[in-house]
């Protein structure tokens, strides 16, 4: 009787929507501009250090003084500089836009009528934000290593523990660093996605998300609030130094993973509860 | 009856705060019909459509679509339903073609292998092939509307729900949409179309429902809805004579326009009472020597009926 089969059609790919989401996200000029801006961070740092040669004063962000000895440290310096503001800002834009952006365009109703499935759409949207977080961290580190190699001498890297590692081991540490920083941002992305389900004004969701990242960092800086510090999603954002010791200490990695997972579960559940029951009237 | 309906609602109600946007709606859309869904702005049409499509939950009442309960069977029903809801929505930074590819990818049941071919066919069907690669933000209102209709046609559908399909279209576009709906209906697709363009509905639809302030005020075939008084109008220089003939046939004469006495103008009209055929009137007029310039028989227009049902006022129901 029906010409369109209700069961899953042969040839239907369940991950087609994720592919479409990623293609849409990364072809968008706004996304490219944000990644470009993040790429500028290591470039500016490298140029500034090269021009002034003031890297050895012992002040400034972590690894800054190491750059003149080994250009490979530019990526790590840039990551340290970007964590408090630039990374949360760009990820807040992407995560805050997930649902609210579709709602404001009106495309949300067409995705749901397709039917995308509310749970599936939410999952795909969150995964898109997570992939952006990985891409953002990777761009900073990779561009940093590239520009560092271009402007400074490179060689075996001396770790915080005093050991020296070669190129292969360094590449592994760089990957672990990208993994750590992007994982640190997953809980934050879940918060942003939840806020995005609350409104049809994407700018509002973006701003609220970014403000939360700032508020969490401020709270983390107040000693009077030390009781809540371990529970703040920003608390372990800078604890990646352990990855530059030999042997690698996995404690902070594991602790942060549990913390982020907790945020993903809580805010993911809130987002699911909200998005699967709310009326789509935009 | 139940299995034959493409859409069936019973007691469907949606309450926003204290307002009953849709109030106890019992709607039956027969399969294969072209169903016109009418009502003034704010009468609850779009809210009803949103509930049908599972975008909004009903406060109470039930919906069956294509024989399955909604929104329970949403995942199996919606792939068979094409929809244009409250105007088209586009990703302005994507081309028209990329817009459709994305919305088709959202359908879990849409085969990927035929995606490009189906998108191109849908674009072709609404006459957008030449602009397919253009970024959608450069589209005119009518082109966006066509893109929205193309989205509804990405797969063969059993039911199309089209909210104001002719909105923003030029006269050619309106005609194209009309013939598109006709050809889809001829293929067996049930078409549920809401519109303010009553002449469009009158030309297209087999069935009509009229909403007013959240309630259904009329529901049935177009003929049933239009069946009101049929009147006969005679254009003649012998108006007084004609009026006498019509009175003799027991046809109630219309009140003449102000200032005229009955039969002093050059036309006379009367209600064509059941059982009196137009040819009987013609024969009687000719037999009485009335010089007939023209004789027309017309039912009530849908617009007259619509206004009678929903009121004259310009106020949006709040």
């Amino acid at each position: 009787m029906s010409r369109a089969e209700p069961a899953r059609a042969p040839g239907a790919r369940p991950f087609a929507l994720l592919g479409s989401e990623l293609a849409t996200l990364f072809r968008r000029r706004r996304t490219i501009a944000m990644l470009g801006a993040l790429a500028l961070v290591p470039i500016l740092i490298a140029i500034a250090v090269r021009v002034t040669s003031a890297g050895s004063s012992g002040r400034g962000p972590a690894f800054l003084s190491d750059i003149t000895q080994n250009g490979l440290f530019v990526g790590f310096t840039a990551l340290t500089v970007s964590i408090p503001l630039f990374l949360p800002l760009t990820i807040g834009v992407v995560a805050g836009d997930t649902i609210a952006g579709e709602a404001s365009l009106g495309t949300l109703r067409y995705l749901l009528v397709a039917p995308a499935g509310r749970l599936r759409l939410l999952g795909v949207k969150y995964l898109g934000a997570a992939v952006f977080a990985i891409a953002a961290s990777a761009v900073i580190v990779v561009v940093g290593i590239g520009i560092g190699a271009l402007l400074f001498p490179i060689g075996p890297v001396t770790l915080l523990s005093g050991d020296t590692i070669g190129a292969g081991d360094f590449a592994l540490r760089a990957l672990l660093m990208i993994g750590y920083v992007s994982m640190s941002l997953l809980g934050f992305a879940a918060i942003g996605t939840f806020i995005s389900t609350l409104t049809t004004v994407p700018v509002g969701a973006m701003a609220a998300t970014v403000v939360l990242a700032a508020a969490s960092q401020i709270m983390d800086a107040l000693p009077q609030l030390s009781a809540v510090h371990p529970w703040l999603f920003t608390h372990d954002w800078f604890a990646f130094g352990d990855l530059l010791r030999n042997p690698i200490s996995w404690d902070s990695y594991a602790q942060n993973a549990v913390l982020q997972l907790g945020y993903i579960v809580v805010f993911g559940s809130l987002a699911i509860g909200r998005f699967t029951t709310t009326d789509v009237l935009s | 009856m139940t299995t034959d309906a493409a859409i069936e609602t019973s007691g469907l109600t949606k309450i926003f705060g204290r307002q009953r946007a849709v109030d106890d709606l019992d709607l039956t859309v027969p399969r294969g019909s072209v169903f016109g869904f009418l009502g003034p702005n704010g009468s609850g049409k779009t809210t009803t459509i949103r509930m049908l499509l599972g975008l909004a939950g009903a406060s109470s009442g039930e919906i069956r679509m294509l024989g399955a309960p909604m929104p329970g069977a949403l995942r199996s029903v919606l792939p068979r339903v094409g929809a244009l809801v409250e105007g088209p929505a586009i990703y302005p930074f994507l081309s028209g073609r990329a817009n459709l590819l994305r919305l088709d990818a959202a359908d879990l049941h849409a085969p990927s292998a035929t995606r490009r071919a189906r998108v191109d066919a849908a674009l072709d069907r609404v006459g957008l092939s030449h602009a397919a690669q253009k970024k959608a933000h450069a589209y005119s209102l009518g082109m966006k509307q066509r893109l929205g209709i193309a989205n509804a046609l990405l797969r063969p559908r059993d039911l199309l729900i089209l909210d104001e399909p002719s909105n923003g279209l030029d006269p050619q576009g309106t005609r194209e949409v009309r013939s598109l709906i006709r050809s889809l209906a001829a293929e067996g697709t049930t078409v549920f179309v809401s519109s303010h363009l009553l002449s469009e509905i009158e030309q297209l639809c087999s069935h009509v429902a009229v909403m007013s302030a959240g309630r259904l005020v009329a529901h049935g075939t177009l003929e049933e809805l239009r069946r009101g008084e049929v009147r006969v109008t005679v254009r003649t220089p012998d108006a007084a004579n004609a009026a006498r003939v019509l009175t003799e046939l027991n046809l109630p004469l219309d009140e003449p326009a102000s200032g005229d006495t009955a039969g002093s103008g050059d036309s006379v009209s009367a209600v064509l009472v059941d059982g009196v055929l137009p040819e009987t009137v013609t024969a009687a007029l000719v037999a009485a020597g009335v010089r007939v310039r023209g004789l027309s028989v017309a039912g009530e227009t849908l617009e007259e009926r619509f206004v009678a049902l929903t009121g004259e006022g310009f106020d949006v129901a709040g």
Side-chain angles (χ1 to χ4, degrees):
Chain A
M1 181 159 68
S2 71
R3 287 163 296 158
E5 53 292 333
R8 181 176 301 173
R13 284 190 312 206
F15 295 109
L17 182 57
L18 181 60
S20 161
E21 173 65 24
L22 293 178
T24 308
L25 179 62
F26 285 97
R27 263 187 311 187
R28 198 168 177 177
R29 223 179 286 171
R30 185 179 74 192
T31 314
I32 296 167
M34 289 194 299
L35 291 176
L38 288 173
L40 280 179
V41 173
I43 293 175
L44 288 178
I45 290 174
I47 291 175
V49 171
R50 182 87 177 108
V51 168
T52 63
S53 296
S56 53
S57 64
R59 290 180 293 129
F63 311 118
L64 189 64
S65 50
D66 299 317
I67 290 177
T68 45
Q69 275 92 56
N70 196 336
L72 295 178
F73 275 109
V74 173
F76 296 160
T77 311
L79 209 49
T80 313
V81 168
S82 305
I83 281 173
L85 180 63
F86 296 130
L87 277 174
L89 196 63
T90 50
I91 286 150
V93 167
V94 173
D97 194 48
T98 47
I99 301 296
E102 299 281 357
S104 80
L105 287 176
T107 43
L108 182 58
R109 62 176 183 269
Y110 287 107
L111 289 173
L112 293 181
V113 165
R118 294 196 183 205
L119 210 54
R120 172 167 168 256
L121 181 62
L122 191 64
V124 161
K125 280 289 175 184
Y126 176 70
L127 282 179
V131 170
F132 178 82
I134 297 170
S137 315
V139 160
I140 294 173
V141 172
V142 170
V143 171
I145 292 173
I147 189 83
L150 204 66
L151 296 182
F152 299 100
I154 55 169
V157 173
T158 309
L159 295 175
L160 300 177
S161 56
D163 303 83
T164 303
I165 56 169
D169 204 4
F170 175 77
L172 175 72
R173 308 276 175 146
L175 278 180
L176 284 174
M177 193 79 109
I178 293 169
Y180 183 87
V181 172
S182 33
M183 182 191 73
S184 297
L185 294 161
L186 292 184
F188 176 58
I191 296 174
T193 306
F194 166 62
I195 293 175
S196 192
T197 63
L198 301 177
T199 174
T200 58
V201 185
V203 175
M206 295 172 192
T209 308
V210 174
V211 163
L212 278 184
S216 175
Q217 291 183 77
I218 291 168
M219 285 167 73
D220 206 18
L222 295 176
Q224 288 80 359
L225 297 175
S226 60
V228 298
H229 285 176
W231 305 98
L232 294 171
F233 65 91
T234 57
H235 184 65
D236 293 326
W237 275 11
F238 289 99
F240 51 73
D242 288 352
L243 298 174
L244 294 178
R245 295 180 212 285
N246 225 0
I248 296 175
S249 161
W250 295 100
D251 291 353
S252 55
Y253 221 114
Q255 184 190 327
N256 193 10
V258 171
L259 181 69
Q260 298 302 327
L261 192 64
Y263 272 93
I264 293 171
V265 168
V266 170
F267 284 93
S269 307
L270 286 172
I272 290 169
R274 163 78 186 174
F275 187 57
T276 54
T277 56
T278 189
D279 286 353
V280 174
L281 299 176
S282 60
Chain B
M1 184 69 187
T2 312
T3 51
D4 251 16
I7 301 172
E8 192 170 39
T9 73
S10 59
L12 188 64
T13 302
K14 180 70 181 179
I15 300 170
F16 291 117
R18 291 164 62 188
Q19 189 205 346
R20 300 176 83 84
V22 175
D23 193 0
D24 198 23
L25 188 70
D26 295 322
L27 191 67
T28 306
V29 178
R31 276 196 205 241
S33 63
V34 178
F35 196 99
F37 195 42
L38 309 176
N41 295 329
S43 60
K45 298 192 302 291
T46 299
T47 305
T48 304
I49 290 175
R50 283 181 183 283
M51 286 191 285
L52 293 178
L53 293 170
L55 291 171
S59 302
S60 65
E62 278 166 25
I63 303 171
R64 290 185 74 80
M65 210 149 89
L66 300 175
M70 284 290 283
L74 187 142
R75 281 167 158 267
S76 61
V77 170
L78 285 187
R80 297 154 63 197
V81 179
L84 177 70
V85 200
E86 228 185 338
I90 57 154
Y91 298 94
F93 47 88
L94 294 180
S95 70
R97 196 157 177 274
N99 264 280
L100 293 187
L101 288 171
R102 172 159 172 78
L103 290 173
D104 192 64
D107 181 354
L108 189 55
H109 307 291
S112 308
T114 56
R115 180 159 297 140
R116 286 174 185 283
R118 285 182 292 111
V119 164
D120 288 340
L123 285 167
D124 192 44
R125 196 147 192 193
V126 298
L128 265 187
S129 296
H130 62 285
Q133 302 297 343
K134 216 168 154 181
K135 287 272 192 289
H137 68 75
Y139 277 18
S140 70
L141 182 62
M143 288 163 83
K144 289 177 187 166
Q145 186 74 12
R146 286 163 192 253
L147 192 63
I149 295 171
N151 173 47
L153 301 175
L154 282 174
R155 299 178 67 190
R157 313 285 194 183
D158 293 334
L159 172 64
L160 280 176
I161 295 181
L162 303 173
D163 193 4
E164 301 284 350
S166 303
N167 198 20
L169 293 178
D170 49 26
Q172 290 89 335
T174 312
R175 279 172 65 96
E176 284 168 34
V177 165
R178 203 187 306 144
S179 74
L180 184 64
I181 291 177
R182 284 208 184 101
S183 70
L184 290 163
E187 292 165 23
T189 306
T190 309
V191 185
F192 182 83
V193 51
S194 92
S195 180
H196 293 298
L197 298 175
L198 296 169
S199 60
E200 286 292 305
I201 295 287
E202 210 162 7
Q203 289 181 59
L204 271 176
C205 295
S206 57
H207 294 68
V208 175
V210 181
M211 284 193 78
S212 178
R215 295 188 142 270
L216 205 57
V217 290
H219 186 205
T221 66
L222 188 62
E223 292 316 309
E224 284 167 357
L225 190 75
R226 265 197 309 207
R227 183 182 302 152
E229 294 169 337
V230 176
R231 51 194 65 243
V232 58
T233 304
V234 183
R235 286 205 304 117
T236 171
D238 307 326
N241 233 347
R244 187 178 48 75
V245 173
L246 294 178
T247 311
E248 280 168 8
L249 286 167
N250 287 324
L251 301 182
L253 284 184
D254 285 355
E255 287 292 313
S258 57
D260 288 356
T261 52
S264 70
D266 61 358
S267 79
V268 184
S269 62
V271 175
L272 196 60
V273 181
D274 271 353
V276 180
L277 297 171
E279 51 266 40
T280 316
V281 179
T282 316
L285 287 168
V286 172
V290 176
R291 292 169 292 169
V292 177
R293 286 179 181 154
L295 183 141
S296 60
V297 177
E300 203 177 20
T301 66
L302 192 57
E303 182 172 321
E304 287 162 346
R305 185 81 178 122
F306 181 79
V307 171
L309 285 166
T310 60
E312 282 278 1
F314 196 61
D315 289 337
V316 172

